[in-house]
Amino acid sequence: QVQLVESGGGLVEPGDSLRLSCTASGDTFTDYTMGWFRRAPRKEREFVAKIRGDNVYTTYADSVKGRFTISRDNAKGAAYLQMIDLKPEDTAIYYCAAARGIGTPWSWWGQGTQVTVSS
């Protein structure tokens, strides 16, 4: 299993950029698909992006395609979410998650980091 810690959230204005980080510890990092999810106020948690352990295959929610980029540094045991052109509707708590292998449940979660986009 892995332990996940997110960082990098904050208050930004519309159009700004932000980079979230997720540091993993406890197991072989490359065995895990890493993902980002978010929960906006009064809404259900939703999928944002994921990246396979081999650092090749990525998937994005339609709402963030072209603005968000997921990446990982397997040597550092870290995953990232680079966000550009942020919009007020991106305001949410962002969670890092890990799934062992491919197509398996998201079994490990971080504590979340708040992103607020407001003028």
Side-chain angles (χ1 to χ4, degrees), residues 17-93:
S17 300
L18 206 57
R19 187 196 197 208
L20 305 183
S21 299
C22 173
T23 301
S25 61
D27 204 347
T28 304
F29 187 61
T30 51
D31 287 347
Y32 294 84
T33 297
M34 299 301 296
W36 287 96
F37 292 74
R38 66 186 182 186
R39 177 175 284 157
R42 298 175 297 280
K43 292 188 176 181
E44 297 291 319
R45 185 175 63 198
E46 65 173 355
F47 166 79
V48 175
K50 66 179 178 182
I51 185 167
R52 212 167 58 183
D54 59 10
N55 212 355
V56 173
Y57 180 77
T58 59
T59 305
Y60 295 92
D62 288 344
S63 58
V64 305
K65 280 181 182 177
R67 299 189 301 120
F68 290 12
T69 302
I70 189 171
S71 62
R72 63 191 293 162
D73 186 331
N74 286 338
K76 294 182 178 180
Y80 308 98
L81 187 69
Q82 178 68 50
M83 306 182 291
I84 65 171
D85 190 24
L86 282 160
K87 306 175 186 301
E89 52 263 40
D90 294 318
T91 294
I93 300 174

Side-chain angles (χ1 to χ4, degrees), residues 3-19:
Q3 293 78 46
L4 306 174
V5 178
E6 303 98 332
S7 61
L11 172 63
V12 297
E13 296 185 347
D16 282 354
S17 300
L18 206 57
R19 187 196 197 208

